[in-house]
Amino acid sequence: MASSYSEGEKVRTRPQTSRRQTNLLEISVVGVQNLSYLATTLGTRVKFADHVELGTMSTPARRRLMRDFKRLQEDPPAGINGTPMENNIMMWNAVIFGPEETPWEGGTFRLTLQFTEEYPNKAPVVKFVSRMFHPNIYNDGGICLDILQNQWSPIYDISAILTSIQSLLTDPNPNSPANSEAARLYAVNRREYDRKVREVVERSWTA
Amino acid sequence: MRRYPLLALLTRRKEMEAQDRPSDEAILEQLQEIKSADQAPLIAPIRETVILCQEFDEHNHQRGQINTVSETLSHYRAVKRDGNCFLRAFGFQCMHQLITVGSPEEKAHFRDRLAKIYATLLTFPDMSPMILDDFYEPLRDMADAIVAGTLTADDLLQKFNDPMESDFLVMFLRLVIVAHLRTNHEFYAPFCGGSVEAFCTTDVQPMGRECDQVQIIALASAMEVGVEIISVDSASGPRDPLRNVFPEGMPPRIHLLFRPGHYDVLLP
């Protein structure tokens, strides 16, 4: 499976019995390159400006991404996480935790967000890196979500994007199937659908 | 959009011609037009309105209507056809008019309206300075410069032709509409398919979403700037285009030419 992390940055996650989302992860790190990612994963307040090269070339897109980052740190929505890659603020890693009391519970789903200099006038390309089973998520991790496509608006920030994707998990849109098998099972055999979802939840711990 | 390989296209040509399809030449011409429109500036220099007659053949009602328009509004500025044309045209012409002929009161009023709308936006739970300031600050700075008399018409044209800056200005105008619709949701809901909130998400906030009557009324009312929409279409008579002023009863300071799906700026 494709990983968004380069060699030497190995973050392994697996769930514990604790129900608190911030404690869901037990993380063993080989190498410290991904310290910033790890810090936010743990919910630790770390100033990233020193670690992340946030662009000496200040463009509207980069300034906006800085602000998005600040907002994510100051007002982190429950169950989501996002940080720019260490050497490239245009490329972000994110984690969405499966909402509690749903078949997605316990899942730690990783995504990448790729921005262009046209952000926020153009939406980023958002993809799941973790394998997913969902009516609106393609096999390659691409997401079929109106606010990322024809309803994109510059007022959506990273926090809003990730929150929308999180609610898409439990609230699929049957009208725009990206995975026909998932769409079919969701419609006709919810028990089997939930079983497949729990499979990707378990897979998300090791992948 | 489906794409046919060239060969398949050629073999399909005959059967499609049978269905009264436009000629290949006409299609090429249209493609050329779309392509050149793509390279067109966001706000073009001033041209004579009568030029627009060439877009219609002589038996077309629209041609006569353009002629009538050109008697009082002899010039126009083409605005890029990217779905933001109404907002770009409105924003540009509103400020251009203030710079060139606006009274000190009108200039101050424009600045104060923006500040008030910004304050209203901040009262909504889903808005914050971190999101709004990208879009508000450039416009606020321009409004301040207009009041101070330090923004020239050339500066304005340049700013409106810078893609990033221009789109930020357009986006704030979209937020002006959102603020106005939400504040007056009881009035607007029936015109918004029942839900102002859903309408804002699908038809106001996304960049490139065209403006219809609801958005026009909301923007003109929120900014308290009268706008006349002169509609050139085949439904109107051979000489007289349809004219509407929003908000009703307010003397228009801006005149826009509407052809289905598109707005341009009209000037005396």
Side-chain angles (χ1 to χ4, degrees):
Chain A
M1 193 190 71
S3 165
S4 63
Y5 301 99
S6 59
E7 287 298 319
E9 294 176 291
K10 287 185 182 140
V11 176
R12 292 214 171 82
T13 60
R14 77 184 164 77
Q16 290 186 313
T17 44
S18 162
R19 278 289 169 265
R20 282 200 52 208
Q21 287 192 323
T22 47
N23 293 341
L24 270 174
L25 300 175
E26 179 197 298
I27 300 175
S28 63
V29 183
V30 184
V32 288
Q33 280 187 17
N34 214 4
L35 194 62
S36 61
Y37 165 75
L38 176 62
T40 37
T41 309
L42 292 171
T44 314
R45 293 284 180 277
V46 175
K47 286 281 169 232
F48 291 98
D50 305 336
H51 307 290
V52 182
E53 195 191 315
L54 291 165
T56 42
M57 210 178 60
S58 177
T59 61
R62 284 161 199 267
R63 281 198 299 274
R64 164 66 187 258
L65 285 167
M66 272 291 286
R67 284 214 287 273
D68 282 12
F69 192 18
K70 202 161 158 249
R71 184 153 177 246
L72 259 181
Q73 282 186 287
E74 285 173 358
D75 183 19
I80 65 166
N81 249 307
T83 44
M85 287 192 178
E86 278 187 64
N87 52 3
N88 183 8
I89 193 170
M90 308 303 277
M91 193 77 190
W92 285 52
N93 291 313
V95 178
I96 292 178
F97 300 88
E100 287 176 26
E101 286 163 23
T102 75
W104 299 92
E105 179 168 9
T108 53
F109 305 106
R110 293 194 290 157
L111 309 90
T112 56
L113 296 87
Q114 192 168 5
F115 297 87
T116 67
E117 289 292 347
E118 287 180 282
Y119 179 73
N121 289 331
K122 294 271 159 67
V125 175
V126 186
K127 275 192 167 186
F128 275 97
V129 178
S130 302
R131 191 186 178 85
M132 299 300 281
F133 185 79
H134 186 280
N136 308 112
I137 300 170
Y138 292 95
N139 276 332
D140 69 353
I143 304 163
C144 192
L145 178 62
D146 48 12
I147 72 145
L148 289 176
Q149 279 110 21
N150 62 347
Q151 283 178 24
W152 170 254
S153 171
I155 62 163
Y156 299 128
D157 65 357
I158 294 171
S159 198
I161 293 169
L162 293 175
T163 314
S164 297
I165 296 173
Q166 187 187 37
S167 45
L168 181 72
L169 289 184
T170 47
D171 190 14
N173 174 5
N175 297 324
S176 52
N179 177 332
S180 52
E181 168 73 357
R184 193 182 63 81
L185 287 181
Y186 183 76
V188 303
N189 189 347
R190 195 63 63 87
R191 185 191 292 261
E192 178 63 9
Y193 174 82
D194 288 351
R195 196 186 62 77
K196 291 258 192 185
V197 167
R198 281 192 298 273
E199 264 177 32
V200 294
V201 167
E202 281 180 33
R203 209 190 266 251
S204 75
W205 303 335
T206 51
Chain B
M1 200 171 66
R2 283 182 72 183
R3 289 205 179 87
Y4 297 103
L6 187 60
L7 257 177
L9 188 70
L10 288 172
T11 53
R12 280 179 60 84
R13 193 176 143 183
K14 272 213 172 75
E15 58 173 286
M16 292 184 82
E17 267 171 359
Q19 297 166 12
D20 227 8
R21 170 178 174 272
S23 69
D24 285 356
E25 289 82 331
I27 287 173
L28 276 177
E29 207 173 296
Q30 280 186 26
L31 279 176
Q32 193 56 43
E33 205 181 297
I34 291 164
K35 209 176 156 197
S36 62
D38 199 46
Q39 293 160 347
L42 296 168
I43 303 273
I46 295 172
R47 292 202 195 91
E48 284 191 45
T49 308
V50 284
I51 298 173
L52 293 172
C53 287
Q54 295 165 5
E55 289 190 15
F56 306 100
D57 71 49
E58 50 186 305
H59 303 298
N60 198 312
H61 282 188
Q62 279 116 313
R63 193 167 177 148
Q65 292 168 14
I66 297 268
N67 259 322
T68 310
V69 172
S70 70
E71 286 163 15
T72 49
L73 297 159
S74 57
H75 290 81
Y76 85 104
R77 275 182 196 276
V79 181
K80 187 167 175 169
R81 293 170 179 266
D82 63 356
N84 297 311
C85 54
F86 168 76
L87 296 163
R88 227 185 288 277
F90 182 97
F92 174 83
Q93 193 52 23
C94 190
M95 285 193 265
H96 192 272
Q97 198 259 354
L98 287 175
I99 290 170
T100 50
V101 297
S103 67
E105 292 75 33
E106 285 174 327
K107 291 175 182 177
H109 176 261
F110 178 73
R111 182 196 56 191
D112 298 346
R113 283 309 305 161
L114 289 175
K116 203 165 226 171
I117 292 159
Y118 175 71
T120 304
L121 282 165
L122 284 181
T123 64
F124 301 135
D126 59 337
M127 302 282 176
S128 74
M130 238 184 266
I131 293 173
L132 295 176
D133 287 358
D134 265 346
F135 314 112
Y136 174 57
E137 283 173 358
L139 195 53
R140 180 202 60 196
D141 293 348
M142 285 164 79
D144 286 344
I146 288 172
V147 171
T150 52
L151 189 79
T152 67
D154 284 346
D155 295 339
L156 184 74
L157 187 61
Q158 199 181 345
K159 282 179 185 293
F160 264 89
N161 276 309
D162 175 274
M164 197 80 181
E165 202 162 1
S166 199
D167 281 359
F168 279 179
L169 299 172
V170 164
M171 190 57 214
F172 193 74
L173 297 181
R174 292 188 178 278
L175 292 167
V176 168
I177 298 173
V178 170
H180 186 79
L181 292 179
R182 283 186 182 178
T183 316
N184 302 284
H185 62 93
E186 279 169 21
F187 175 79
Y188 283 102
F191 306 100
C192 295
S195 163
V196 160
E197 219 32 64
F199 184 78
C200 288
T201 306
T202 56
D203 288 274
V204 184
Q205 285 169 190
M207 281 298 281
R209 191 70 90 247
E210 286 170 19
C211 285
D212 221 321
Q213 200 150 326
V214 173
Q215 293 95 318
I216 295 171
I217 292 171
L219 183 61
S221 307
M223 295 306 298
E224 295 171 359
V225 171
V227 53
E228 182 185 34
I229 308 288
I230 302 175
S231 306
V232 166
D233 61 44
S234 47
S236 312
R239 284 280 304 161
D240 297 316
L242 190 68
R243 291 168 186 261
N244 287 301
V245 176
F246 306 109
E248 257 177 78
M250 192 175 274
R253 269 175 31 200
I254 300 172
H255 308 272
L256 301 180
L257 178 70
F258 175 73
R259 284 168 286 167
H262 186 62
Y263 297 87
D264 289 308
V265 176
L266 283 168
L267 305 156

